[in-house]
Amino acid sequence: SIWEQYPDNEFADDGLFWHAKCLQNANLHDKSIRAYQKLLDLYPKSDLYAEAVFSQGEVLKAVQKYALAAKNFQNILSDFPNSFLKEAALVHWGDCIYLMNEYQQALEIYNKILLDKMSLNYKKTLYKVAKCYRKLGSLNQAIDLINCHFSAP
């Protein structure tokens, strides 16, 4: 592989990233996680660093390692606040927290997405907020939220 034979090559990180992505797409989760980690360890200044952190988080979420995945998505938000991955990282972070039964914290994360009414994730996130309210025992608040945003004008 290019990153092993030529670790100093300007494209070595690209090769390793796409190798990890192929492993991810083939559902070879453990190998994919390790390949992303290798990229993160060997190429901390790579242009693909944020994408590798995010993609590794996706794989960790897929194998139900929600706490580890949540850390990856948090890292995107703290280390790359202007990244194009910001909103997707918020969504995935909220989902991981929800799946860990931390509904109040998930609600707080999802509400950050709802600040942008033009978000492509707005309606899906409203539904997730309603699910959080329901899990927190606020069924009326969940119903009101759904009725308010999804009823005909």
Side-chain angles (χ1 to χ4, degrees), residues 22-128:
C22 287
L23 292 169
Q24 179 181 356
N25 291 338
N27 293 321
L28 298 171
H29 301 303
D30 290 339
K31 289 182 179 183
S32 177
I33 291 167
R34 285 193 304 273
Y36 284 124
Q37 191 59 52
K38 190 171 194 173
L39 185 147
L40 298 173
D41 293 342
L42 294 176
Y43 305 103
K45 299 208 183 294
S46 171
D47 291 341
L48 295 168
Y49 193 89
E51 288 182 68
V53 171
F54 181 86
S55 296
Q56 185 185 52
E58 288 180 309
V59 180
L60 289 165
K61 182 181 169 194
V63 296
Q64 300 178 354
K65 294 183 179 180
Y66 302 126
L68 292 173
K71 282 185 181 182
N72 278 47
F73 299 124
Q74 281 180 289
N75 288 344
I76 294 292
L77 298 167
S78 61
D79 298 345
F80 307 96
N82 299 317
S83 171
F84 70 95
L85 297 166
K86 180 181 178 181
E87 184 172 317
L90 268 172
V91 170
H92 282 294
W93 180 31
D95 292 348
C96 288
I97 299 303
Y98 180 90
L99 291 165
M100 293 189 308
N101 303 323
E102 297 291 336
Y103 306 118
Q104 185 61 47
Q105 186 182 358
L107 183 61
E108 292 166 14
I109 295 166
Y110 291 143
N111 278 326
K112 292 178 184 181
I113 298 164
L114 296 181
L115 293 174
D116 178 8
K117 291 190 186 313
M118 299 303 293
S119 165
L120 296 175
N121 293 298
Y122 191 82
K123 286 188 177 183
K124 286 181 187 176
T125 303
L126 280 171
Y127 175 70
K128 291 176 182 185

